[in-house]
Amino acid sequence: MDPVRNPYAPGAGQRPPELAGRDREVQQFDVVLERIARGRPERSLVLTGLRGVGKTVLLNALRSQAINRLWGTGKIEARPDQSLRRPIVGALHMAVREIAPHHRDPEQVRTALSVLKAFALRANDPKATGRARWSPGIDVPAATGRADTGDIEVDLVELLVDVAALARDVGTGVALFVDEMQDIPPSDVSALCAACHELSQQALPLVVVGAGLPHVPAVLSASKSYSERLFHYVRIDRLDREAADLALVAPAADEGVRYEPATLDALYTATDGYPYFVQAYGKMTWDHATGEVITPDDVAVAAPEAETELAVGFFGSRYERATPAEREYLHAMGMLSTNGDAIPTSAIAEHLGRKPSSLSPARDSLIKKGLIYSGERGAIAFTVPHFGPYLRRS
Ligand SMILES: Nc1ncnc2c1ncn2[C@@H]1O[C@H](COP(=O)(O)OP(=O)(O)OP(=O)(O)O)[C@@H](O)[C@H]1O
Ligand SMILES: [Mg+2]
């Protein structure tokens, strides 16, 4: 069928034509926004789940909700070994600019911006001069004595408190979205939790909304034991049958295209309801379909190409990042994990005939690369759904 009209959107962070099966999270977030704007105590949301389940697109949808309520918003994507200071400056600068037009007192907006600038300048190495100095592009003089100690924990608390106060004046709030939360460096995790803690004690309207791999709760609580009281963890999972069907049927209906019921059976079997797979199969099947009613035969014809596409774009791109020693570790996991469940690390060592300690470097680096995670002590699992079968095939 006409590929130009193909509505499906496989790809990291690609907005799906229909955000299926996420109504509960969307409603929950509406309540969070409303309560926080009214100064009521509320835990913020952190979305956790495997690769490709739709955390990023849901985070973006939540951001739109906040924007619709005239909140100031900003988004960052954490990276291993990168301090949050610079990305936070960009995100909050954006948020302040969104709030500014609604604020009565331009002087207070300038004051908040000057604190943001003071915070930003601390991203520079004190010895750096001239071009080596990063300039944040905020055209007010930097404040002194606020958010400028160089200790991220102290500075972040002061900055977020001041930005939140600005939003409170206009009767809304600020939402800071943090994707790939498991990658925040430990000192910054601790600072972020401390800041959220302070904000909630002062009932100030600023929320940090996160998304990341399933071990995010463990990463946060390793830094601050009270993190569980700050964040409400929401597991984002594969779509159930009804939602997976909706993800396929609704966008097609907009184009006057239908699915035979047996086609939807075949597609659910192939995709297991994983959103990335749903989009990839949906797209290929559409391209191969011969009429305005999509049949199981169309799925059968499209399947090899959909699998090839996934092998390259979804699995292969991640496998490529692993070194030979890490690949050996992955293959051992692939042999031992038949259903995607966590595997004891001792079993992997035994399978490879090695001492567990000799495998720690490969394991730690695979965790850092986001390919595997450890949700419980002494066990490890793939972050990528269906990675085991992919490794066994290749
Ligand atoms: N609720 C949904 N309904 C239909 N399709 C969805 C849904 N959520 C996500 N998708 C599709 O799934 C794919 C992956 O989404 P996304 O990049 O948000 O996943 P992710 O969980 O952030 O993955 P990663 O951990 O790799 O960053 C995209 O193609 C997106 O369009
Ligand atoms: Mg993502």
Side-chain angles (χ1 to χ4, degrees), residues 133-347:
R133 283 182 72 80
W134 173 59
S135 152
I138 301 170
D139 42 340
V140 296
T144 43
R146 191 93 180 138
D148 63 353
T149 66
D151 175 337
I152 180 114
E153 186 153 335
V154 175
D155 294 352
L156 193 60
V157 170
E158 292 184 349
L159 173 65
L160 294 188
V161 163
D162 287 5
V163 171
L166 205 62
R168 185 191 47 196
D169 295 342
V170 304
T172 63
V174 168
L176 177 63
F177 296 86
V178 184
D179 205 353
E180 303 293 352
M181 214 172 188
Q182 74 284 343
D183 287 339
I184 306 178
S187 60
D188 291 8
V189 170
S190 165
L192 198 62
C193 290
C196 290
H197 196 43
E198 184 62 32
L199 288 159
S200 77
Q201 281 171 4
Q202 296 194 27
L204 281 167
L206 190 147
V207 275
V208 174
V209 189
L213 294 173
H215 62 298
V216 162
V219 169
L220 298 196
S221 65
S223 256
K224 289 274 193 244
S225 56
Y226 58 71
S227 65
E228 272 129 67
R229 279 177 278 135
L230 297 176
F231 299 108
H232 175 56
Y233 296 109
V234 181
R235 181 74 189 222
I236 303 301
D237 221 325
R238 61 209 183 92
L239 304 174
D240 61 20
R241 175 66 199 262
E242 201 183 329
D245 286 358
L246 181 67
L248 291 162
V249 168
D254 291 342
E255 297 291 333
V257 171
R258 287 190 302 115
Y259 284 85
E260 267 181 25
T263 313
L264 295 171
D265 295 341
L267 284 168
Y268 199 72
T269 306
T271 64
D272 217 7
Y274 282 107
Y276 198 110
F277 303 160
V278 169
Q279 298 296 330
Y281 266 86
K283 180 150 192 219
M284 275 302 167
T285 307
W286 174 289
D287 281 353
H288 284 281
T290 46
E292 305 276 295
V293 179
I294 302 181
T295 66
D297 281 347
D298 298 328
V299 179
V301 174
E305 268 183 60
E307 286 301 325
T308 307
E309 184 94 355
L310 288 172
V312 176
F314 190 66
F315 299 115
S317 61
R318 298 197 155 87
Y319 184 71
E320 301 282 292
R321 284 183 225 157
T323 64
E326 292 161 14
R327 287 180 187 182
E328 185 189 31
Y329 195 89
L330 290 174
H331 281 285
M333 283 180 67
M335 294 306 293
L336 295 169
S337 117
T338 43
N339 53 5
D341 283 353
I343 310 155
T345 48
S346 55

Side-chain angles (χ1 to χ4, degrees), residues 51 75-88 177-189 211 219 321 367-370:
R51 296 271 172 222
K75 187 178 163 192
I76 62 183
E77 187 178 311
R79 303 228 168 88
D81 306 320
Q82 189 197 60
S83 163
L84 281 186
R85 200 179 272 264
R86 272 198 202 191
I88 279 188
F177 296 86
V178 184
D179 205 353
E180 303 293 352
M181 214 172 188
Q182 74 284 343
D183 287 339
I184 306 178
S187 60
D188 291 8
V189 170
V219 169
R321 284 183 225 157
I367 293 178
K368 203 164 179 185
K369 289 179 182 174

